Amino acid sequence: PTGSGEGTMSKFSPKEIEYLQSQRLGRMATVSAKGDLHVVPVGFRYNPDEGTIDIGGHYMVDTKKYRDALRHGRAAIVVDDVLPPWRPRFIEVRGTVEAVTEGGKQINEQFRPEILRITPTYIVSFGVNDEGVMPGRGEVNISGRSVE
């Protein structure tokens, strides 16, 4: 863990924090009351004060993702991209989720203030802390760790 600047310890590496702060869109996964999976694109930010992932939107409290996340108290988000010519990178964050009444405007000025806050319990990283895919060596480095 590394310091976040506010006295709390981050569960993310410095490279993971840098990557998360460079991105704006992720894919959030939840489970419905019937057990159906639901994955949607979401606006997010890494919150350095809390060491969390904060997720916001235009109508956050009225959405299926909001209801499903709070019903189960758990959610996951994947943030990913591909650098040329083909260098995929991603961070998957699984964790507990809570409703917070403010923070949406810090993600995007046009968002409603209500957010979902994911506190990481498990982080998977690929191509962020290292090269990820090393074609000449036939290796793929995926780093997963429990952070509870």
Side-chain angles (χ1 to χ4, degrees):
T2 58
S4 67
E6 294 295 322
T8 62
M9 295 298 284
S10 176
K11 297 175 180 180
F12 296 97
S13 74
K15 286 183 180 180
E16 289 168 344
I17 292 170
E18 180 181 353
Y19 178 72
L20 289 168
Q21 289 176 332
S22 75
Q23 304 295 313
R24 297 176 43 191
L25 187 67
R27 290 152 187 80
M28 181 178 164
T30 59
V31 178
S32 75
K34 295 179 183 178
D36 295 328
L37 300 173
H38 186 234
V39 179
V40 292
V42 292
F44 81 96
R45 81 176 188 108
Y46 168 71
N47 181 331
D49 296 333
E50 301 294 329
T52 59
I53 301 295
D54 292 351
I55 297 170
H58 295 285
Y59 304 102
M60 178 57 78
V61 297
D62 302 323
T63 64
K64 176 176 174 43
K65 65 181 167 265
Y66 188 87
R67 291 187 305 273
D68 288 348
L70 294 178
R71 178 180 297 114
H72 291 286
R74 296 194 54 79
I77 184 170
V78 170
V79 179
D80 64 334
D81 66 0
V82 178
L83 297 176
W86 183 255
R87 190 175 152 227
R89 303 183 295 176
F90 76 81
I91 296 175
E92 173 191 352
V93 179
R94 302 175 205 169
T96 58
V97 66
E98 64 180 316
V100 179
T101 58
E102 53 187 65
K105 301 286 184 192
Q106 292 176 292
I107 300 167
N108 181 314
E109 192 59 39
Q110 297 175 2
F111 284 1
R112 296 247 312 257
E114 302 87 2
I115 61 169
L116 290 171
R117 174 166 290 156
I118 297 178
T119 300
T121 58
Y122 194 83
I123 298 169
V124 179
S125 180
F126 178 79
V128 175
N129 291 311
D130 56 37
E131 290 302 310
V133 177
M134 292 166 278
R137 299 194 319 224
E139 294 180 25
V140 176
N141 290 329
I142 297 178
S143 166
R145 64 195 186 276
S146 179
V147 294
E148 292 187 81

